[in-house]
Amino acid sequence: MDIKQLKFLIALDETRHFGQAAARCHITQPTLSMRLRSLEEELDLQLVNRGQRFEGFTAPGERVLAWARTVLAAYDGLQAEAAACRGNLIGTLRLGVVPLSNFDPLHLMQRLHAEHPDLRFELSSLSSEQILEQLASNRLDLGVSYLDRLDTERFDALPLSETAMGLLYDQRFFQFGEQPLSWEALIELPLGMLTSGMHFRQSIDHNFHSRGLSPQPLLQTDAVHQLLQAVNGGLCCAIMPLNSGLETLTDHLCLQPIENARTLANLGLIMRRGAPRSALAEACFMLYQKSPAGL
């Protein structure tokens, strides 16, 4: 058994296709199949259901796959740790961010890339629960998530600045004055929102309901990009975090502050406490502690 076989297994899980997995790993499909059969023979387990095409993993295969991810994460962490001991950062920083946060990961990635050109990035938009679960299982190095239910015995966190809210709209379809908008004024607008249950939506609902207001959104979606497309098309306006940079995506977008608009919980930069601990995550923590305003 070697690291490459585990990489092949993970690639097959992510692509769900033998040919695409082989192409991702820069090998031929027969080579991929041969190496995976060799792994099955060594473990004396069938890992993959095969027909004319990939048909999923067997139950033992799913369990082996979980271990493969853990082993590969540990291998990558070992390489990154050794490089950090030499004064370099290499490998891939795996960062998970909740949808619609006021934390722009671009600034962090730009700073790290400028100082460590060999560093790569893997950015995922995930729920708070997914971020904490993937940090705990070492599938993420770093998370940006809400701190209201954080287990401080398992995770370290650096609080980020408070998240204020504004109304994002396209100036070709809507016009407002320069003053902050009231929640009472928003109730009259066609609004697009994330689906209920998402943390940012819960904060929006709380701000409305605490004032005795009941919004009737024109559009609900679980995808931020679809919300942005609807705003840019003039279908609706959307309540978004201030200082998120969303208004710079096109020349027509504007982000107007809303009076007394805050999320229910603050965000934080989070990493796991237990070993193995990511050298890349620790470098990010140090960078933020030195210059929180710059991130």
Side-chain angles (χ1 to χ4, degrees), residues 189-204:
L189 297 173
L191 292 176
M193 295 186 184
L194 294 178
T195 51
S196 59
M198 301 183 77
H199 205 293
F200 193 80
R201 170 66 186 273
Q202 292 173 2
S203 293
I204 293 174

Side-chain angles (χ1 to χ4, degrees), residues 9 15 23 45 47 69 120 140 198 206 232 247-248 284:
L9 197 67
T15 62
L45 288 171
L47 305 178
R69 291 188 180 280
R120 298 293 179 264
L140 286 177
M198 301 183 77
H206 173 78
N232 191 56
E247 72 278 14
T248 66
C284 290

